[in-house]
Amino acid sequence: MTAHHEAETSPAACSGTIDTNWPGCTGTGFYNGEHAVGASARFAVTSSTAGSATVVVRFANDSKASRPVDVFVKGTKVRSVSFEVTGAWSTWASATLAIPLPAGTSTLQFTPTTAEGLPNIDSVCTTYGAP
Ligand code: GCU
């Protein structure tokens, strides 16, 4: 089962702003996370069974370097990911991550590990079990 979560739509939340100034995002906007270690973008995701989910994060990063991020499920760090430079804030790319999820609803959280903060995050798409 696949579920699509727009950053600007509940049940998602972030420390930062929801912006609309860069074209190419889906829905009506994207997250512009606060530039700080410990900032967060959170999505409530629901899986019917425990297991590895495929999580596709749509993002843009026009800074000079990749932005490293820790990924948490229900407050426990499950992995790290580095969101590469996409070349323009209006150029969106997809990062595909394997994330272990328990059954039920979990908070999936992205937290930057440098003061550059998160990339701009447009959406998260989760696929559980067989796609
Ligand atoms: C620029 C850009 C923002 C982006 C920010 C950043 O200000 O307009 O959309 O979030 O850089 O470096 O994260």
Side-chain angles (χ1 to χ4, degrees):
M1 183 208 147
T2 297
H4 185 80
H5 306 269
E6 285 292 337
E8 67 276 18
T9 307
S10 178
C14 89
S15 62
T17 54
I18 294 170
D19 290 356
T20 57
N21 57 317
W22 296 112
C25 62
T26 57
T28 55
F30 57 86
Y31 277 160
N32 175 354
E34 174 187 23
H35 289 210
V37 174
S40 67
R42 300 182 300 281
F43 296 82
V45 297
T46 303
S47 178
S48 55
T49 53
S52 181
T54 301
V55 176
V56 179
V57 182
R58 192 161 187 264
F59 70 96
N61 175 12
D62 189 31
S63 59
K64 297 208 173 350
S66 297
R67 293 196 173 178
V69 170
D70 284 343
V71 184
F72 297 81
V73 172
K74 287 190 162 178
T76 299
K77 181 180 164 183
V78 294
R79 61 170 293 161
S80 299
V81 55
S82 197
F83 290 99
E84 77 265 17
V85 172
T86 61
W89 289 112
S90 55
T91 300
W92 301 88
S94 292
T96 300
L97 314 174
I99 304 279
L101 287 180
T105 299
S106 302
T107 299
L108 176 63
Q109 177 174 324
F110 299 91
T111 289
T113 58
T114 73
E116 290 293 302
L118 294 168
N120 287 346
I121 294 183
D122 181 31
S123 66
V124 162
C125 195
T126 50
T127 302
Y128 315 102

